[in-house]
Every structure is written in structure tokens, then in C-alpha cells.
């Protein structure tokens, strides 16, 4: 199992509600995918312009398929237009 | 419920195993705390010098108590000595 932390900072003139609306569509579609164990949008409690998608995937193959899915290809570029910056890391738990 | 993502990049001359050893002690102690729902160390699958603690807490009060706990006060400064940089965000899920 792998985890993804995808953090984004919105441009200062973007309404967070516009980002949320788009991201919610992505969440709904992604949760139907094979190999998706968890996928949820989170907002920083101190800075409403910071959003992070917390994700859990069965394996890297499932994540690759997600990245090529129709909803990602359609919605991700729209989300990126609203972002000032972003960072993505893929993790494995250390037991 | 709130979530914490605490990301750290180690100094280039630090052995990740030294960081893991210290962090594991913190994980073991923290999991015994009231209000701790999840607390686990994660390592980036591409860059072994990047570590993230993924955390879930009942509420902000539980997180504050954690920050003042004996094990945090003892171990966190030791972890920080091994880090080049760090960032911490507190999130709430957008449903």
C-alpha cells in the first residue's frame, strides 16, 4: 500500500470554493477506481488557500492508472490553473 | 477530527536509519496518548531523505497536549537536529 500527499497553494485571487467544487468532482470519480483505498480533500485550518489531497492506493500500478484516468486528465489541468504552487510525494509507512 | 502532515527533509550527511530509530520511539509513545487516532512515520519512495508523519487527532486539544508531552519535548528537538527543513500543516477534511 502506498500513500500520496498532494499539497497545493491557491493563487491569491482564487476563491477556495471554486477549487473545492472542482476537486469534489475528482474525489467522487476517483473513489470508484480499482485500487483506490482512500481519497479525500483537506483544507488547512489556518490558511484556507492550502489544500491537500490525502490518498491511499493498493500499489503503484493503481496510482498510475489513476493518473491516466479520464477524470484526472480532464480535471487536474483545471485545478492546476487555480494553483500558485504544488508538491506531491508518494510514501510508504515505516513500521 | 483533525489531521496533521509533518514533513521533514534530512540534512545530506544524516543516515535515514538514525532518524527512523528516533522517530519510532516517538511513534510508540504517542500512540498511547488520549485522542491520538493515528500516528505513523512515512518515507518518500523516491527520496529516502524525506519523511512525513501522518497523524489523526480527535481534536485540537488532543494535539496541543501531544505537543506538550514528555516524549515530544524530549525527542522532537533531537529529530530537528537531523533535519534540513520541515513543514507542518493541520487539516480538516472537506466532505
Amino acid at each position: 500500500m502506498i500513500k500520496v500527499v498532494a499539497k497545493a497553494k491557491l493563487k491569491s485571487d482564487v476563491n477556495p470554493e471554486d477549487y473545492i467544487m472542482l476537486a469534489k468532482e475528482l474525489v467522487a470519480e476517483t473513489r470508484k477506481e480499482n485500487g483506490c483505498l482512500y481519497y479525500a480533500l483537506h483544507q488547512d485550518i489556518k490558511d484556507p488557500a492550502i489544500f491537500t489531497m490525502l490518498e491511499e492506493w493498493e500499489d503503484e500500478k493503481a496510482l498510475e492508472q489513476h493518473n491516466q484516468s479520464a477524470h484526472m486528465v480532464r480535471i487536474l489541468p483545471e485545478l492546476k490553473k487555480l494553483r500558485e504552487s504544488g508538491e506531491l510525494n508518494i510514501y510508504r509507512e515505516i513500521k
Side-chain angles (χ1 to χ4, degrees), chain A:
Chain A
M1 197 250 281
I2 56 170
K3 299 200 184 183
V4 175
V5 177
K7 182 180 178 180
K9 167 92 179 177
L10 303 191
K11 291 174 184 165
S12 58
D13 61 344
V14 167
N15 182 343
E17 290 304 320
D18 292 340
Y19 191 85
I20 290 172
M21 203 177 61
L22 267 170
K24 274 187 173 176
E25 205 185 329
L26 184 58
V27 168
E29 290 302 316
T30 299
R31 286 181 178 168
K32 299 175 195 166
E33 285 182 60
N34 287 329
C36 177
L37 307 176
Y38 180 79
Y39 194 88
L41 180 68
H42 293 75
Q43 187 173 33
D44 191 293
I45 65 171
K46 290 172 190 162
D47 183 347
I50 294 178
F51 287 90
T52 286
M53 201 70 87
L54 296 177
E55 315 177 14
E56 294 179 19
W57 295 93
E58 217 164 79
D59 51 32
E60 286 179 72
K61 198 179 162 201
L63 178 58
E64 277 163 35
Q65 283 172 345
H66 164 64
N67 287 332
Q68 292 162 22
S69 67
H71 45 276
M72 268 293 271
V73 170
R74 178 169 58 85
I75 301 171
L76 183 61
E78 297 302 314
L79 290 171
K80 283 188 172 171
K81 283 181 199 166
L82 308 180
R83 294 177 188 166
E84 180 184 288
S85 61
E87 59 184 273
L88 185 146
N89 295 86
I90 306 172
Y91 295 105
R92 239 184 273 283
E93 185 179 337
I94 302 287
K95 307 226 178 189

